[in-house]
Amino acid sequence: GAGRGWANSIRLNSHAQTVFEAFFQRENTFSLGVCNGCQMLSGLKDLIPGAANWPTFERNASEQFEARLVMVEVLSSRSILMAGLEGLCAPIVVAHGEGRVTGNLETLSGDETACLRYVDNHKHVTESYPHNPNGSPLGLTGLTTCDGRVTIMMPHPERVFLKKQFSWCPPSWRNEESPWMA
């Protein structure tokens, strides 16, 4: 709940709320919220243009903290931070107890706001544990705004940015960096 706490601390401080709202209104800014940052930005969705339909993130269906490698697929979206990664299926670290997407997911269909989802070892979208560590419907774990300037996700790409951080990787990864470095 740390992310919700951060969002509330912004909401309960009128000056902070005004500053954040002004930041999100500027068209020359972008933001990335990972894990607690994802929860925080989701809690501020009414201040972020194009984020009104974002879901909230609740307790994992497993009722426990999940910390390990899982597979995700990068979806075609407007996210400026995911540009060029569409179709990538790669391992990524999760470390959260409250990552299950909840809310009216019908508002996301066709909106291109979903940008990341859990897949199994056959690259099929999954809602099944352990491939989907939190039980999110449709495997959803990352979203972006309609203009792509704000992206939120529960997994941690910053924890696996070098190829040597994986026990195995495809031969197509020729650089020293993993695709998450992008």
Side-chain angles (χ1 to χ4, degrees):
R4 280 188 290 281
W6 292 346
N8 286 337
S9 67
I10 292 164
R11 293 195 167 286
L12 295 173
N13 179 319
S14 61
H15 176 68
Q17 182 168 329
T18 300
V19 169
F20 272 80
E21 189 168 15
F23 175 83
F24 292 125
Q25 294 294 327
R26 289 179 31 208
E27 293 184 7
N28 64 342
T29 62
F30 68 92
S31 302
L32 172 64
V34 173
C35 200
N36 289 335
C38 171
Q39 292 172 338
M40 180 195 82
L41 291 176
S42 176
L44 298 175
K45 65 185 175 183
D46 60 317
L47 303 180
I48 303 170
N53 294 329
W54 279 357
T56 58
F57 295 83
E58 303 296 331
R59 184 97 174 122
N60 294 340
S62 66
E63 292 290 322
Q64 61 187 9
F65 184 84
E66 300 288 343
R68 57 191 152 74
L69 275 174
V70 296
M71 287 283 288
V72 293
E73 176 187 16
V74 178
L75 303 172
S76 178
S77 73
R78 294 185 180 123
S79 173
I80 63 171
L81 295 170
M82 296 292 180
L85 296 176
E86 299 87 357
L88 171 71
C89 289
I92 196 167
V93 170
V94 292
H96 59 261
E98 297 170 329
R100 184 174 44 88
V101 168
T102 60
N104 184 0
L105 301 183
E106 291 177 15
T107 60
L108 296 177
S109 61
D111 198 22
E112 291 189 338
T113 56
C115 64
L116 199 64
R117 64 185 176 188
Y118 295 113
V119 294
D120 63 18
N121 55 320
H122 299 289
K123 301 181 182 178
H124 298 132
V125 177
T126 185
E127 295 181 6
S128 300
Y129 186 85
H131 301 293
N132 180 329
N134 48 44
S136 292
L138 309 172
L140 289 177
T141 190
L143 300 121
T144 192
T145 52
C146 294
D147 65 5
R149 291 186 307 111
V150 182
T151 301
I152 60 173
M153 66 180 71
M154 287 309 294
H156 290 269
E158 79 284 2
R159 293 188 183 183
V160 284
F161 62 93
L162 295 175
K163 190 168 74 172
K164 66 184 176 182
Q165 292 173 292
F166 296 92
S167 59
W168 176 90
C169 62
S172 61
W173 294 7
R174 299 189 188 278
N175 298 327
E176 291 300 313
E177 297 88 19
S178 85
W180 299 119
M181 181 61 101

